[in-house]
Amino acid sequence: MSSSRRVSCGLDLCYATDIRNNLHIASEAGFDFICLPIVHPRFKREFIGGKAKNRPGAFTRSDLILSSSDWNNLIVGKLSPYLAVDAGDINLRRESEEAVNQELVYAAHLGLPAIMVTLRGPNNTNLARILQSKFQSNSTFQVWVHVSMESPAMGTRQYRSDVDESDNGSSGNCNDTWHWWNTFRSVCNFDKKLGLALEVSADIPPETVVSRWAGEPLKCLVLPTSLFLTNKKGYPVLSRPHQALVRSLASLDVQIVISGNDKHGNIRYYHQYMDHIWQTISQVDPLTVYARGYEDYLQCPLQPLMDNLESQTYEVFEKDPVKYTEYQRAIYSVLIDKISADEKDQKVLIVMVVGAGRGPLVRAALNASQKADRKIRVYAVEKNPNAVVTLEAQQEEMWGDQVKVISSDMRDWEAPEKADILVSELLGSFGDNELSPECLDGVQKFLKDDGVSIPASYTSYLCPVQSSKLYNEVRLCKEKDKHPLHHFETPYVVHLQNRLELSPVQPLFRFDHPNKDELVDNRRYKCLEFKISQDSVLHGFSGFFDSVLYKDINLSILPETHSKGMFSWFPIFFPIREPIHLKAGDILEVHFWRLCNRKNVWYEWCLTSPVPGPLHNPSGRSYTIGL
């Protein structure tokens, strides 16, 4: 199966003698929009003094050239390249400020969807201030910050004898374009209207640099025509490394902008080639197919212990092609281990499925019994009365006396006999966040001394992440009747896409079943230290889990060991209130607690290094999980 998406592709023009004709040519070639200067790049204006101050006539073309619909959907405006609002010369700076304001006001008048601003050096603070003031005045356009993946100075280092190549230019960060961008968007307070137009360089930077760019709010990739090679038939193609780069970033739903002179006879060929790249991006993984549309979309974690799930939710999870297959394998292995071939006609094992839902684990147990040629009796315990209707229907129509349906909360049920196998699927995105420990501790008294729990254990993991997109999504989650910091003290389930993992994942909390401790206590605390590999910005922590079902049969959502094709769980995201700027080599120290009382379980977290920060969610004031 190939992706059915087509590429959204724009054409960058350095100037346009006839906008209507240029738009027609671009549209005929398949392009979706064009980027062009709001004012002719050579038309310099003077506002404070000079001969041109009182020059008669309009400073740019009339809005009547195109319809409002065309301006609103097909044109991305560009600020004049000569403007220098951060210049040291006060007169030049003031003239530039007036000109920038004039162009921004006209862009708003036209209703342009976006304007493109190019960063040509590290000092862009005044420009960021001007744009931030426009954001505050309810301007509707987005700002695409055009930055090269690698600065020209860095690109020429290998050809210069007066520069030490081992020096990566980090001193002062003057030549690192990511720092240009990072300073700019920090002054703009990570505004959601700010996006990145990343120009791909001829020399692709190291993987660490590329992955850092992938964690930014990418709106488009700018591909100069000089990057394209010519194939045997005379058509433009990208080199294999550039193809791989574009494919790796395509999952972020970026647009493409082609810039530069046509070097292959027809501008249409560039669009056709990019469309071919998009069409050949494979989408065969069930997780990728299932998660389409949920990328970086915040969801509140389910609380199935407190709330009854709907039929549609059960149906979605039951379609997972991996989870129940692995459960069935685990039950099969236990049956083979516990009943020898000589005992298979006499011995019957008791299987208790606690939290049976609509019965997928019951079916997995029965299938494992049939495949192993071993006898079992099943108790299906479920508290949701609506799901019990489905269980009883299946018991009457298919399962018969082999299965007994129990309509009860597992913690309140008094089992008539002890179980050989206790099966549950109470795991959440963070392992224990759907209260599997509390539930299984309550029913393990019904497990025989040599009984087996499936799962046998599970471990949560934590990883620091950079993601402006998630940070802005969290900022938008304000609710009137909640604590002002509620949205930053709540974990979210999210299919992570537009992010950068700042350090390898580390284990956090582990739970084993059955719990052999004399004093059962599911509170946890741990301090983790992460070494940061490169300059970056911390926006929160992503959480994962893995679980041992039985012996070597596992389920995992860890990036390195993810159970291929499994989509029942997305990672969890713990935000922090304010972004933290990190340097390469910093030790990031985070403290995590899992706390509880008689009614609720909750998490608390805080940073103590490299800078101390406030405690998030103290006493569960913003988020709890109901028992």
Side-chain angles (χ1 to χ4, degrees), residues 351-381:
V351 178
M352 289 184 182
V353 178
V354 290
R358 301 198 311 177
L361 286 182
V362 177
R363 293 191 291 272
L366 295 176
N367 291 340
S369 170
Q370 184 177 11
K371 184 178 178 182
D373 192 21
R374 303 293 192 269
K375 295 179 180 180
I376 64 171
R377 283 192 295 111
V378 180
Y379 288 91
V381 185

Side-chain angles (χ1 to χ4, degrees), residues 605-616:
W605 61 99
C606 73
L607 300 174
T608 53
S609 177
V611 291
L615 182 67
H616 290 65

Side-chain angles (χ1 to χ4, degrees), residues 197-476:
L198 185 62
E199 181 171 328
V200 178
S201 53
D203 295 324
I204 298 178
E207 176 59 31
T208 53
V209 175
V210 174
S211 62
R212 184 168 61 178
W213 284 119
E216 301 296 351
L218 277 172
K219 294 297 182 182
C220 68
L221 287 179
V222 180
L223 298 177
T225 54
S226 58
L227 291 182
F228 289 83
L229 309 176
T230 305
N231 67 7
K232 293 180 180 179
K233 296 183 179 180
Y235 294 107
V237 294
L238 290 173
S239 66
R240 289 191 177 182
H242 281 102
Q243 287 183 45
L245 173 66
V246 171
R247 291 176 190 273
S248 69
L249 297 175
S251 61
L252 301 179
D253 200 26
V254 298
Q255 301 179 90
I256 297 294
V257 171
I258 302 296
S259 68
N261 296 328
D262 175 15
K263 298 178 182 297
H264 290 84
N266 193 325
I267 202 69
R268 177 194 301 269
Y269 298 151
Y270 297 101
H271 177 273
Q272 290 176 340
Y273 177 72
M274 296 313 302
D275 204 38
H276 166 73
I277 292 287
W278 247 245
Q279 294 294 332
T280 54
I281 296 175
S282 176
Q283 299 287 351
V284 295
D285 180 27
L287 173 61
T288 305
V289 175
Y290 169 76
R292 175 59 57 79
Y294 288 97
E295 295 90 348
D296 299 314
Y297 176 75
L298 301 179
Q299 304 173 72
C300 290
L302 293 174
Q303 297 204 28
L305 191 61
M306 190 170 66
D307 305 323
N308 290 328
L309 301 182
E310 298 177 349
S311 177
Q312 183 179 4
T313 305
Y314 284 122
E315 183 178 349
V316 168
F317 290 137
E318 288 168 11
K319 290 179 180 178
D320 193 305
V322 175
K323 179 170 69 171
Y324 297 111
T325 301
E326 294 303 289
Y327 265 98
Q328 182 175 318
R329 283 182 59 216
I331 298 170
Y332 171 87
S333 298
V334 177
L335 294 177
I336 294 297
D337 289 348
K338 281 190 166 290
I339 305 178
S340 66
D342 297 335
E343 298 175 304
K344 68 178 185 178
D345 294 327
Q346 296 83 30
K347 193 171 183 179
V348 179
L349 293 188
I350 304 302
V351 178
M352 289 184 182
V353 178
V354 290
R358 301 198 311 177
L361 286 182
V362 177
R363 293 191 291 272
L366 295 176
N367 291 340
S369 170
Q370 184 177 11
K371 184 178 178 182
D373 192 21
R374 303 293 192 269
K375 295 179 180 180
I376 64 171
R377 283 192 295 111
V378 180
Y379 288 91
V381 185
E382 175 54 48
K383 74 171 184 63
N384 183 351
N386 304 308
V388 169
V389 173
T390 307
L391 289 172
E392 290 180 335
Q394 292 177 91
Q395 189 269 333
E396 183 178 341
E397 297 169 8
M398 296 184 296
W399 301 335
D401 295 337
Q402 193 176 5
V403 178
K404 186 170 184 178
V405 178
I406 308 296
S407 180
S408 172
D409 188 313
M410 68 183 78
R411 296 168 295 175
D412 302 329
W413 178 51
E414 292 296 330
E417 57 186 324
K418 290 198 171 185
D420 297 283
I421 309 174
L422 188 65
V423 187
S424 64
E425 53 170 333
L426 305 169
L427 300 173
S429 295
F430 205 43
D432 58 87
N433 66 296
E434 292 185 10
L435 307 189
S436 178
E438 286 72 18
C439 292
L440 295 183
D441 287 347
V443 296
Q444 73 176 23
K445 60 187 177 184
F446 303 130
L447 189 63
K448 293 179 181 178
D449 292 340
D450 63 343
V452 174
S453 172
I454 301 176
S457 68
Y458 37 90
T459 305
S460 57
Y461 294 80
L462 211 61
C463 176
V465 293
Q466 169 183 306
S467 177
S468 292
K469 187 170 185 180
L470 289 180
Y471 175 71
N472 276 312
E473 289 292 326
V474 173
R475 283 206 292 191
L476 295 174

